[in-house]
Amino acid sequence: MTLFFRRLAKSAPVALSNAFKGYQNSNSYTSRNPFGVVAASISGGISLYYLTSSPNLAHLDSINEETQKKVALNPDKWLEFKLQESATVSHNTKLYRFSFDPEAELGLHIASCLLTRAPTGKNDEGKTKYVVRPYTPISDPDSKGYFDLMIKIYPEGKMSQHFAKLKPGDVVEVKGPIEKLRYTPNMKKHIGMIAGGTGVTPMLQVVEAILKNPDDKTQVSLVYANVSPDDILLKQKLDILATSHPNFKVFYTVDNPSKDWRGGVGYVSKDVVTKGLPGPGDDTLIMVCGPPGMMQSISGDKAKDYSQGEVSGILKELGYTKEMVYKF
């Protein structure tokens, strides 16, 4: 298991690909905001702060009454999960494996995320204050006994710095799942995805669910944008999936290419969307997840109440409606 975990972490370094060769574009966003500057929530959400008197912990012995399966997650209680091991993915990203009862399933739906929290001190009343952050596991939701989180470490990120200090045997409090989009096989004929940085994690969750199901004929196209080739996460894994599954295509674009880079150059543009993703239609769904600058340019932000809100930006200009777009 440890060897596999290390190999998974090492699958991130760049193995340059010529996928979608020729789709290079140097256009930038109107309000230029590099992906590496603004922290992207893995699930498309934002950091939240909770005040509470004490953690509400429970043992990992929940039973799903509908299926009679033993599940590790609980949407109503904070549970402790122990860090089994960690590994370096890139210069600023790490992979963390957390363990639980090997006879239990995590209890995660496609597509959904989980919440993590860490104490940040006390308030004026002496109550513990927490930072709460959503993350999407990159491990198979059906895996028993463990789940993996891929986390970018930001110098001033309260939660990511907490993860950076964890050692094997330490615990993290988790609650969930938090359902984002209830995916069902063949719900759309073609799904297009636009991801920036760690925004690839919910996309990977959906991609793997589709590709491992022989009855799911959905065509999937992913446009994955990053600052540089070295920032592309899990590139080798994505390339293997694309090579071995004809219904999955991936196109990479970076803002700062290396001399031997063969993918796209620049931010996601109308040209890239038009050439790499399915056009507007009732059988099309475009998923978007990335940092705020990217979201604003591509699809517009979510509404203030965190509902999907209206579609704006490039996708609106190209004719996509809010029924054709999902913002993680």
Side-chain angles (χ1 to χ4, degrees):
M1 183 66 73
T2 297
L3 179 59
F4 172 79
F5 182 78
R6 300 295 173 180
R7 286 176 176 172
L8 175 60
K10 291 179 180 179
S11 70
V14 176
L16 297 179
S17 168
N18 61 358
F20 287 78
K21 182 185 291 185
Y23 290 177
Q24 296 188 3
N25 189 291
S26 60
N27 291 342
S28 62
Y29 292 133
T30 301
S31 176
R32 196 166 180 81
N33 189 1
F35 294 128
V37 175
V38 181
S41 165
I42 286 185
S43 67
I46 59 174
S47 294
L48 306 173
Y49 290 85
Y50 284 6
L51 296 178
T52 183
S53 57
S54 62
N56 185 7
L57 303 179
H59 297 293
L60 305 182
D61 56 1
S62 301
I63 301 294
N64 186 315
E65 295 180 356
E66 294 181 1
T67 63
Q68 294 301 307
K69 292 181 179 180
K70 197 171 186 180
V71 296
L73 286 174
N74 189 314
D76 302 314
K77 296 179 180 180
W78 290 101
L79 307 176
E80 287 186 335
F81 288 81
K82 184 179 293 186
L83 177 63
Q84 180 177 330
E85 56 184 322
S86 64
T88 298
V89 173
S90 71
H91 63 98
N92 61 359
T93 305
K94 297 192 70 174
L95 191 63
Y96 297 86
R97 172 158 293 180
F98 293 90
S99 60
F100 52 88
D101 184 345
E103 296 183 357
E105 294 182 358
L106 183 58
L108 201 69
H109 309 299
I110 305 295
S112 58
C113 66
L114 48 78
L115 296 178
T116 63
R117 76 173 184 179
T120 59
K122 303 285 186 179
N123 65 3
D124 294 338
E125 299 177 353
K127 294 181 179 180
T128 302
K129 185 168 63 174
Y130 294 90
V131 58
V132 177
R133 183 79 171 184
Y135 291 103
T136 302
I138 66 168
S139 48
D140 190 329
D142 294 329
S143 299
K144 291 188 175 182
Y146 73 92
F147 67 89
D148 298 333
L149 297 180
M150 186 171 64
I151 298 175
K152 184 172 288 188
I153 309 299
Y154 295 98
E156 298 181 0
K158 290 183 173 63
M159 181 58 78
S160 65
Q161 283 298 317
H162 176 76
F163 273 99
K165 297 173 184 176
L166 292 178
K167 302 180 297 296
D170 291 343
V171 297
V172 167
E173 292 184 72
V174 177
K175 184 165 68 172
I178 308 300
E179 187 170 285
K180 306 294 288 185
L181 170 71
R182 178 58 69 99
Y183 177 80
T184 56
N186 300 301
M187 62 184 287
K188 295 292 182 179
K189 184 177 180 180
H190 200 154
I191 292 179
M193 300 175 170
I194 304 173
T198 50
V200 74
T201 55
M203 308 305 182
L204 181 61
Q205 189 183 84
V206 175
V207 167
E208 292 196 299
I210 293 172
L211 299 185
K212 76 176 184 179
N213 182 356
D215 295 324
D216 196 335
K217 307 303 181 182
T218 306
Q219 298 291 316
V220 187
S221 302
L222 167 64
V223 171
Y224 187 20
N226 282 276
V227 175
S228 70
D230 290 337
D231 290 296
I232 299 176
L233 304 173
L234 301 178
K235 185 177 187 299
Q236 184 177 343
K237 181 172 184 175
L238 292 169
D239 287 344
I240 291 174
L241 289 174
T243 301
S244 56
H245 295 85
N247 58 325
F248 176 54
K249 296 181 180 180
V250 59
F251 169 62
Y252 306 98
T253 184
V254 299
D255 193 43
N256 301 317
S258 57
K259 291 182 179 180
D260 54 356
W261 174 247
R262 298 178 183 177
V265 177
Y267 290 142
V268 179
S269 64
K270 287 184 181 180
D271 186 56
V272 169
V273 173
T274 301
K275 292 179 179 178
L277 299 181
D282 293 338
D283 253 339
T284 293
L285 179 65
I286 304 295
M287 301 178 178
V288 189
C289 188
M294 171 184 168
M295 298 293 293
Q296 186 64 38
S297 174
I298 299 298
S299 62
D301 296 326
K302 289 184 179 180
K304 292 183 178 180
D305 62 358
Y306 301 110
S307 63
Q308 287 292 297
E310 297 297 323
V311 174
S312 62
I314 289 175
L315 293 182
K316 181 179 181 179
E317 293 173 14
L318 291 176
Y320 297 91
T321 66
K322 63 180 181 180
E323 290 79 20
M324 304 173 194
V325 178
Y326 186 85
K327 310 169 190 176
F328 279 100

